[in-house]
Amino acid sequence: MTRPLRVLILGGTTEARRLAERLAPRSDLDVRLSLAGRTSNPVPHPVPLRVGGFGGAEGLAQYMKDERIDRLIDATHPYAAQMSANAAHAAARADVPLLALRRPAWRPVAGDRWREVADAQAAARALGDAPRRVFLALGRNEIAPFAGAPQHFYLVRSVDPVEPPLAVPHAVYIRARGPFREEDDRALLAGHEIDVVVAKNSGGPAAYGKIAAARALGLPVILLQRPVLPQTAVMADARGSYVLVVNSSVPAKNVPELIALLRANPGKYSFSSSGSGASSHLASVLFNSMANVSAVHVPYKGSSPSVTDLVSGQVAYTIETVPSIISFVKSGRLRALAVSTAKRSAAMPELGTIADDLPGYEMSGWIGLMAPAGMPNELRARLSAETRKILQDPDIRSRFIALGLDPAGNTPEEYTEFLKRQNDRYASIVKQAGLKLD
Ligand code: NAP
């Protein structure tokens, strides 16, 4: 007799519990569920439980080997990004197929007054200086940053007691476990005269009561952004050059002349980008730092307004994608000096590279194909091979080139390595330049 398929569910969510309930009666499955151990008294589950961390991805991979797990299901909370990343790595390492249950985020509807922030620290800052009455619907491990904003009153709701309590003079603690109904949350918010709600975008119905209640009462909601969950690289489809362009009134005719001009006039000229931290910004930051020049950064909301102001002479130069500048270069309103890639670009083959004058300079935009983590290897290989075949088609290639993109077409392994190098590269530029998100 074949033994039942052993399934490990990474839980901590209603979905994980429901899934366990559905699978528990099946005699062909041997299901167990894992909890982080965040709450001291978890709700009962219909399958055997194990509680506590595994010791990173390595630990989970080892656990799955030791326990002969056949399938892994990641049904963790949308904010449990570490666990989801570990699950993807461990599944690949132990060669165990992985399935992820992802809970969709809430979307704003008419009447919602949402503001998204990066994390709890940013949420504490977003409350402002003036004292407010805040409903904190965050995990007890996430509320520490609010001690830095003691001028506010906090109503804190958590499953387990917050210990030690927040070091602020005005806080009230409520212990409760969802689901929470809209009318109850409305009464709670009104009763404590709350004027702002801070929460995670957990999705699902159980925690939506406060969101609906805030809308009904016209209250603003500060939402912590969802973390990025792992995906699997399939391949890089195409690499796009950026182009260093100047307004046609700028006297520099080539890269050395632009560098000389900027060096002779530190801080006098300005450059635009499609936004603070956008790749066009990072491309210019790298150029300025390697050329040892200083100029004023003017961030815009997108490439179009950035290039429009470059054309009208509000700023002197930028480094932008081929499609966004090419018509202005052709009409003579912008002068293209060089491309950002290590090699010349098929889209503008007449241009040399910035690296010709600044050896080692390289920036490229790229478009890649990603798949959900846990896609079976055979399927990923097939998708990758078929996409590579399509990219060899002369008609498709010429369309990519017309868009300023050089079709690359590498393997999943090469693409994974490429993404890692890109990540390291951008991280070092951001660190070197001391860039911060606004
Ligand atoms: P995390 O930051 O992704 O995980 C941190 C570590 O906790 C993991 O590396 C793992 O330790 C352990 N862990 C997490 N989930 C586990 C599971 N199901 N079984 C065994 N170990 C697990 O996640 P988090 O710290 O739990 O929570 C992050 C956010 O998600 C918070 O906002 C929290 O409020 C929210 N959340 C989480 C859960 C949950 O059950 N995890 C439930 C509701 C809400 P090792 O590296 O040692 O394996």
Side-chain angles (χ1 to χ4, degrees):
M1 205 181 95
T2 52
R3 76 171 173 88
L5 205 65
R6 196 164 282 170
V7 179
L8 174 65
I9 304 176
L10 301 172
T13 55
T14 316
E15 290 86 341
R17 191 164 36 80
R18 294 234 173 96
L19 180 66
E21 274 163 13
R22 295 282 291 274
L23 300 183
R26 282 181 50 174
S27 58
D28 58 332
L29 300 178
D30 166 13
V31 181
R32 59 188 66 179
L33 195 138
S34 172
L35 294 179
R38 299 277 174 261
T39 54
S40 53
N41 187 17
V43 288
H45 284 72
V47 295
L49 279 189
R50 65 156 304 287
V51 179
F54 297 95
E58 290 282 345
L60 176 57
Q62 192 59 48
Y63 174 88
M64 290 198 290
K65 261 191 188 159
D66 294 345
E67 299 293 322
R68 300 203 292 151
I69 300 294
D70 301 304
R71 300 285 187 273
L72 178 64
I73 300 180
D74 174 11
T76 53
H77 192 267
Y79 284 70
Q82 186 60 55
M83 192 66 244
S84 291
N86 290 356
H89 284 127
R93 184 157 310 179
D95 207 16
V96 172
L98 165 71
L99 190 83
L101 267 189
R102 302 270 190 245
R103 191 194 290 166
W106 297 316
R107 304 249 170 249
V109 298
D112 278 330
R113 296 172 57 201
W114 291 5
R115 170 166 175 200
E116 275 206 333
V117 294
D119 51 27
Q121 243 159 17
R125 282 197 303 274
L127 291 173
D129 295 333
R132 300 177 82 176
R133 295 185 66 84
V134 186
F135 178 43
L136 271 191
L138 297 179
R140 61 181 172 146
N141 298 322
E142 295 155 321
I143 63 172
F146 295 90
Q151 69 276 31
H152 308 299
F153 161 84
Y154 294 103
L155 174 64
V156 183
R157 180 166 69 191
S158 60
V159 176
D160 283 304
V162 177
E163 272 163 11
L166 209 52
V168 295
H170 308 292
V172 168
Y173 299 90
I174 302 176
R175 281 180 60 192
R177 196 195 292 272
F180 300 106
R181 297 185 323 160
E182 178 189 342
E183 53 265 46
D184 296 339
D185 276 354
R186 212 176 331 141
L188 181 76
L189 297 180
H192 285 85
E193 295 174 41
I194 294 299
D195 53 44
V196 57
V197 173
V198 178
K200 284 180 291 204
N201 190 334
S202 298
Y208 193 69
K210 58 183 175 274
I211 302 291
R215 183 190 313 129
L217 296 169
L219 300 182
V221 179
I222 298 176
L223 279 178
L224 271 50
Q225 263 162 14
R226 281 190 162 204
V228 178
L229 295 178
Q231 291 200 313
T232 303
V234 174
M235 63 172 299
D237 280 0
R239 306 274 163 86
S241 279
Y242 296 98
V243 186
L244 172 58
V245 273
V246 295
N247 176 278
S248 50
S249 68
V250 172
K253 299 282 182 292
N254 51 42
V255 175
E257 285 182 17
L258 178 64
I259 294 174
L261 183 72
L262 297 172
R263 278 201 193 140
N265 300 280
K268 179 178 162 199
Y269 287 95
S270 53
F271 65 100
S272 62
S273 78
S274 56
S276 272
S279 40
S280 67
H281 178 207
L282 299 182
S284 292
V285 166
L286 183 65
F287 172 78
N288 294 350
S289 117
M290 288 181 71
N292 199 14
V293 299
S294 100
V296 178
H297 175 220
V298 185
Y300 289 82
K301 282 191 172 163
S303 299
S304 297
S306 159
V307 173
T308 305
D309 267 13
L310 178 65
V311 170
S312 67
Q314 307 292 320
V315 289
Y317 67 104
T318 194
I319 300 184
E320 258 301 344
T321 58
V322 174
S324 61
I325 53 96
I326 192 142
S327 61
F328 299 109
V329 171
K330 282 188 178 155
S331 66
R333 299 171 78 186
L334 295 180
R335 186 180 309 119
L337 302 187
V339 294
S340 66
T341 31
K343 290 190 199 146
R344 286 181 179 230
S345 160
M348 297 182 84
E350 68 286 3
L351 286 182
T353 68
I354 297 176
D356 291 341
D357 297 296
L358 292 175
Y361 182 95
E362 186 188 358
M363 286 292 280
S364 64
W366 42 266
I367 297 173
L369 193 56
M370 305 291 287
M375 174 181 273
N377 282 343
E378 318 83 75
L379 190 57
R380 185 165 77 133
R382 163 118 195 264
L383 193 58
S384 172
E386 296 291 337
T387 317
R388 276 204 300 279
K389 235 189 266 166
I390 292 168
L391 284 181
Q392 314 270 309
D393 182 292
D395 192 33
I396 300 279
R397 288 186 79 78
S398 63
R399 284 182 188 218
F400 268 80
I401 289 169
L403 289 170
L405 297 162
D406 293 338
N410 51 20
T411 64
E413 292 70 30
E414 287 164 345
Y415 185 31
T416 304
E417 188 48 42
F418 171 76
L419 288 180
K420 193 178 166 312
R421 284 202 313 272
Q422 290 284 301
N423 199 32
D424 294 347
R425 181 167 186 78
Y426 280 110
S428 88
I429 298 171
V430 168
K431 206 164 157 194
Q432 222 178 38
L435 302 182
K436 294 227 160 45
L437 274 180
D438 290 338

